[in-house]
Amino acid sequence: MEVLFPTLFLVLLGFVLLLNVITLPANWIMLGLIGLWRAAYPYPGDMGWLFFLMLIGLAVFGEIVEYLAQGWGSKKYGSSTSGMWAGLIGALVGALAGMPLLLGLGALIGALVGAWIGCYLMERYKGRDGYEARQAAKGALVGRFLGIVVKCGIGAVMLVLTFHAMFASPAYPPVTTF
């Protein structure tokens, strides 16, 4: 039991990590669940305040990088600020619409297509021609993909750190090499 429950909890965190694909705040949900684990489990491992500060820092960093990635992609390809925001909203709508398709992989495709469509429609609404609007929308798609990849990577780091903290044992001190 001392290994079963932590292992099941880590599997749950792995599934929660996948919520990043559908543009939900998976890293924050993971952080909340880890906090509940710390409060509820009698032997939470090495989860002190420094551990939680590190996880909070990673979650904040993930949000900043996700926002900046889509902004960078949109601006690099000539999108307006409103086109970038429309791409963000389109990504969320597309991810939710695509979630039931392809065993959940449709959420990723929906988020990317939604970012493209949202940005494209806004740029066309603002009077840009089709080529410029497609270029701007391509930037929103590239930025969204980059943001999702980086945020998933940061969530994976949070998962690995949690694994290490949960199974840290004072009986086995860390090996130091020189």
Side-chain angles (χ1 to χ4, degrees), residues 97-108:
M99 195 178 340
L101 305 173
L102 300 172
L103 301 173
L105 185 61
L108 174 62

Side-chain angles (χ1 to χ4, degrees), residues 15-29 62-63 66-67 70 84-99 104-116 140-141 143-149 151-152:
F15 283 117
V16 169
L17 173 64
L18 296 176
L19 293 176
N20 276 319
V21 172
I22 59 171
T23 69
L24 290 177
N27 295 350
W28 293 103
I29 295 169
E63 296 298 326
E66 181 185 34
Y67 173 75
Q70 183 147 355
M84 181 195 72
W85 283 106
L88 284 169
I89 293 168
L92 178 61
V93 170
L96 292 174
M99 195 178 340
L105 185 61
L108 174 62
I109 296 166
L112 298 176
V113 171
W116 191 92
L141 184 142
R144 167 61 35 199
F145 181 75
L146 180 62
I148 288 171
V149 167
K151 199 169 173 187
C152 283

